[in-house]
Amino acid sequence: MSIDTPLNKIRNIGIIAHIDAGKTTTTERILYYTGRTYKLGNVDDGNTVMDWMVQEKERGITITSAVTTCFWKGHQINIIDTPGHVDFTAEVERSLRVLDGALVIFSAVEGVEAQSEAVWRQASKHRVPRIIYINKMDRLGASFDRTLQSIKERLNIKPLVMELPIGEESEFVGVIDLVANKAYIFRDPSGEKYDIEDVPKEYEEIAAKRREELMEAVADVDEEALNVYLEEGTLSEELLKKAIRRATIDNLAYPVFVGSSYKNKGIQMILNAINDYLPSPLDVGAVVGKNPKTEEEIECPPDPNAPLAALAFKVMADPYVGTLVFIRVYSGTLHKGSYVLNATTGKKQRIARLLRLHANKKEDVDYIEAGGLGAIVGLKDTYTGHTLCDLDNPVVLEKMEFPEPVISVAIEPKTRADQEKLSAALAKFAIEDPTFKIKFDEDTSETIISGMGELHLEIITDRLLREYKLEARIGKPQVAYKEAISKEVKSEGKYIKQTGGHGQYGHVVMLVRPGESGKGLIFKDKTKGGVIPKEFMGAIQQGVLSAMESGPLLGYPIPDVEVDVIDGSYHPVDSSELAYRVASSKAFRDAVKKAGPYLLEPVMKVEILVPMQFMGDVIANINARRGEVKGIEERGHVAIIHAFVPLSNMFGYSTALRTLTQGRGSFSMVFDSYKKVPVAVQEEIIKKAKGEI
């Protein structure tokens, strides 16, 4: 960045959590205490800095991940505030891919919820070091110990308790820092000033016990701390901090802090913890990319003087400046006015303008160095997951993977004249959002859009109206089913065409069997004696891949199969790639028809919070929706029901739940897996699709 913060003082962090755990409120407080804003924003008042989209202000939720930079005690903290709603999981995924550390927030009332588990798993996949913040200690029903227990049980981790709350619910007045063995009491309502005092008498015993447990837990995961602890029976504050930092960066332990963002208590301690325990780009070290031509591994060190390597992690259409490409610079320095190579597409690109971002406000900069986050204005043909690098040192960084959409709707403009405008707007959304897909159905002449849930598609149509003044009609939500096969089948495909001159000749014999879930196509050449020359195997595989896109039952994709090519023949003159592609596609289609095809449906992991007196009715309703209740937790007067329910039966569930619980129930759901559809239900789905019902 243009402000030359040393690399070891930079922190690239994300704020991740379940919806409504207080991510945006916490970010607002961080910006206020670091002097980035001069007024505290609140989600309820719709005046937050980070939730700047109209839809975010109206709904009080985060939809797009916003990026901002602030400074605290000589450190530069680049923050991405991510959405908590399951429909915007791509925003979390792409943010975690470029972050060095994360602040994970749990509510002291609800503890670990379904979406919290999902974002925790995403962070573990990317090996992102995390610190935990238990928020909302001032709320009715808040319990530090119960939340800590749910963190241990549901996340199966070692939390390092760094702070204890002084009081709970309306009695919450401050925190005890177990490392420094001091109490911080917040008497000033703005939270800017706090008094540092000795641990209150009534907390001395529990604080001493918890401090001992903290030292033991740290000695357990850090060798240097263990040696000192065994010799001296205690650890100094300095050594304890260093050992906690090492354990956090190595993902061996997760420091836990406590506070109330809304009541402005405990945020400065979080900022200190970000500086003290989360990694700098230097701690994370070099990222590994590949040479696009030779596939040879290349290390990209966090050094401003090394060759450039940067990853585009988000593309956004900005109404004022045009297309913004958000980037993380891993290695080298990206200069305004320079030429770079998009190693993913092989195209040379010019960097016309560079920005540092503060939510939707932008600040022009001349360069962004290794370890920095920023945005490029007006870059063409650069999308999420593309690598920008030095022209003479090509490197491709690891791609980003996104989940497949689970729900589809047909969409059409109110007037025919708007068809082109609609197509152009949807294409822009698809570039911005990798989990949003568009396809044109030839049979029905409909445009089908697919996404991660009802809210996801609702926001898309809302944006069409507000940003493009386009009114669209939306069909009923349709589930994105998949198809699979149940047995192995041998099949033969021929494509022989005689015309004047060269003809076409392709002949393939294959075995097709069910594949392992999530493995995609496993393709093997098992031919002997050169019956089909090796150079045609790529075309045969392409033929299978194109046939996998449309299954025999209802034309849904068949994602996981194993195909062995066992025989065939070729013609020295007439055989061509096209002929083998057509022949293998035909063989595969014939095979899956005979291989006992069946439908797979997306099943959601659902968590429902209901007052105890409504529990029976809610469980009966879940069973009626083909759901399976896996467990029930009791928390005071509230029951938490854990269930798995097919997505097709969850449409409109929020209305049903409100009716069943007099408006007092709430639920959240995340995609779990694809499961086989029961035979009777499958028959009904097929009849409906064919218009027989």
Side-chain angles (χ1 to χ4, degrees), residues 299-309 330-334 370 390 393:
E299 282 206 348
C300 306
D303 175 358
N305 301 313
L308 175 72
Y330 283 100
S331 198
T333 304
L334 183 64
D390 196 66
N393 295 280

Side-chain angles (χ1 to χ4, degrees), residues 215 219 222-236 239-240 243 246:
M215 288 192 283
D222 187 87
E223 206 169 318
E224 192 184 322
L226 177 65
N227 294 335
V228 175
Y229 187 66
L230 289 174
E231 263 179 46
E232 300 175 16
T234 187
L235 296 171
S236 69
L239 183 63
L240 194 52
R246 286 193 293 268

Side-chain angles (χ1 to χ4, degrees), residues 244-385:
I244 292 168
R245 178 177 176 78
R246 286 193 293 268
T248 306
I249 290 171
D250 291 341
N251 273 293
L252 296 171
Y254 305 93
V256 177
F257 298 85
V258 63
S260 162
S261 299
Y262 186 64
K263 290 286 171 71
N264 312 318
K265 293 181 173 80
I267 299 297
Q268 294 91 331
M269 290 82 233
I270 292 290
L271 282 161
N272 292 338
I274 289 167
N275 287 355
D276 290 344
Y277 304 119
L278 288 180
S280 73
L282 290 176
D283 296 314
V284 175
V287 296
V288 177
K290 284 187 175 172
N291 182 311
K293 290 196 173 72
T294 64
E295 291 287 303
E296 177 195 345
E297 286 198 346
I298 298 169
E299 282 206 348
C300 306
D303 175 358
N305 301 313
L308 175 72
L311 185 75
F313 67 94
K314 178 177 166 127
V315 178
M316 195 174 95
D318 185 282
Y320 304 107
V321 295
T323 305
L324 282 180
V325 177
F326 289 66
I327 48 132
R328 159 78 196 257
V329 179
Y330 283 100
S331 198
T333 304
L334 183 64
H335 290 275
K336 186 172 103 176
S338 65
Y339 282 92
V340 297
L341 174 71
N342 179 332
T344 314
T345 62
K347 288 182 180 170
K348 184 174 160 182
Q349 310 241 266
R350 184 173 181 272
I351 308 298
R353 193 176 161 204
L354 281 177
L355 301 174
R356 182 160 63 187
L357 298 145
H358 174 46
N360 67 333
K361 295 188 179 70
K362 300 156 192 74
E363 187 183 319
D364 277 274
V365 290
D366 294 327
Y367 59 87
I368 300 172
E369 291 187 336
L373 293 168
I376 306 167
V377 178
L379 208 57
K380 285 192 167 59
D381 304 324
T382 298
Y383 305 130
T384 300

Side-chain angles (χ1 to χ4, degrees), residues 439 481-483 542-552 554-559 561 585 588-589 592:
K439 93 172 184 205
Y481 292 101
K482 289 183 180 176
E483 298 187 19
Q542 281 307 314
V544 171
L545 282 167
S546 68
M548 281 168 68
E549 286 172 18
S550 175
L554 290 174
Y556 288 108
I558 307 171
V561 280
S585 183
F588 182 81
R589 285 203 172 94
V592 292

Side-chain angles (χ1 to χ4, degrees), residues 431-452:
I431 288 169
E432 285 181 24
D433 182 351
T435 59
F436 174 67
K437 300 272 194 291
I438 315 157
K439 93 172 184 205
F440 186 72
D441 189 321
E442 299 284 350
D443 302 332
T444 59
S445 301
E446 286 178 322
T447 301
I448 308 289
I449 57 173
S450 308
M452 298 308 295

